[in-house]
Amino acid sequence: MQLSPRIYHSFVRPKWFTKVYIQNKIQQHFDFADKKVLDFGAGTGANCTLCSPDHYFGIDPDSHRINFAKRLYVPYRFEILTGNQLPAEDKSFDFVLIIAVLHHIPPEMIQGYVKEFKRILKPGGRIIAIEPCFFEKSPICNWFMKVNDKGDYIQKEDVYLKYFTEDNFQCSVLKKFKKCFFYNELYFTAFL
């Protein structure tokens, strides 16, 4: 069952949770001041406040979540993603945020998106990703994620990184951590 955008935003992505597990980690490594950011899989827009409204663009295929984000974060730009091509010009973004999105996309579709990320990133641009991840020696968490997460494609670290290295990106794992005791999270960046 899909949660309504309001329930999702309030209980799955409350402000404190987003700040602790996503925004604080990103801000430790990256400065978005005056940088153009594409939030791929923006959902209800919880990460838009990392940027100024004129430098942020959030996209998601879920029209209900995008419409909710537009109402909640009025000055920010959100758009419904249709098709496989990103609605952006070549070399127009400094960063692409991918927060808990890849594990919802069938693996055979990801390579097309990686090519699109490559197309829209400015020289020196970076992909920033945080994804649920199966870790070695973590059977209880791996089982919990497999049973409870709505994403059907949680991967091991090497598979997530391979999505990008196959298209000549270099990857750097910034942190591996547990979220709420039961979720293993992989935080990495990819760059050309």
Side-chain angles (χ1 to χ4, degrees), residues 121-178:
L121 277 172
K122 294 178 181 179
R126 286 186 174 259
I127 293 167
I128 301 168
I130 300 176
E131 286 291 329
C133 186
F134 294 134
F135 288 169
E136 297 293 324
K137 300 179 184 174
S138 189
I140 293 171
C141 292
N142 292 346
W143 170 83
F144 182 86
M145 291 185 303
K146 185 178 269 189
V147 170
N148 293 291
D149 196 279
K150 299 296 182 212
D152 292 331
Y153 309 103
I154 298 174
Q155 304 293 339
K156 291 183 177 180
E157 175 183 329
D158 61 331
V159 176
Y160 283 126
L161 301 180
K162 189 175 178 184
Y163 290 147
F164 297 93
T165 58
E166 282 185 341
D167 219 330
N168 299 317
F169 280 90
Q170 295 179 41
C171 292
S172 177
V173 173
L174 301 171
K175 190 167 181 109
K176 298 176 191 180
F177 61 96
K178 284 214 185 308

Side-chain angles (χ1 to χ4, degrees), residues 36-39 42 48 52-59 66 69-70 73-79 87-88 93:
K36 293 281 197 179
V37 177
L38 175 75
D39 190 354
C48 70
S52 64
D54 54 334
H55 287 91
Y56 175 88
F57 180 31
I59 59 173
I66 287 294
K70 285 179 180 180
Y73 301 105
V74 174
Y76 289 87
R77 180 177 169 214
F78 295 95
E79 196 171 299
F93 285 92

Side-chain angles (χ1 to χ4, degrees), residues 38 49 85 88-89 94 104 147 152 172 181:
L38 175 75
T49 57
Q85 187 170 1
E89 295 182 19
D94 298 287
H104 292 283
V147 170
D152 292 331
S172 177
F181 305 110

Side-chain angles (χ1 to χ4, degrees), residues 32-45:
F32 290 166
D34 298 320
K35 302 292 185 187
K36 293 281 197 179
V37 177
L38 175 75
D39 190 354
F40 178 75
T44 58

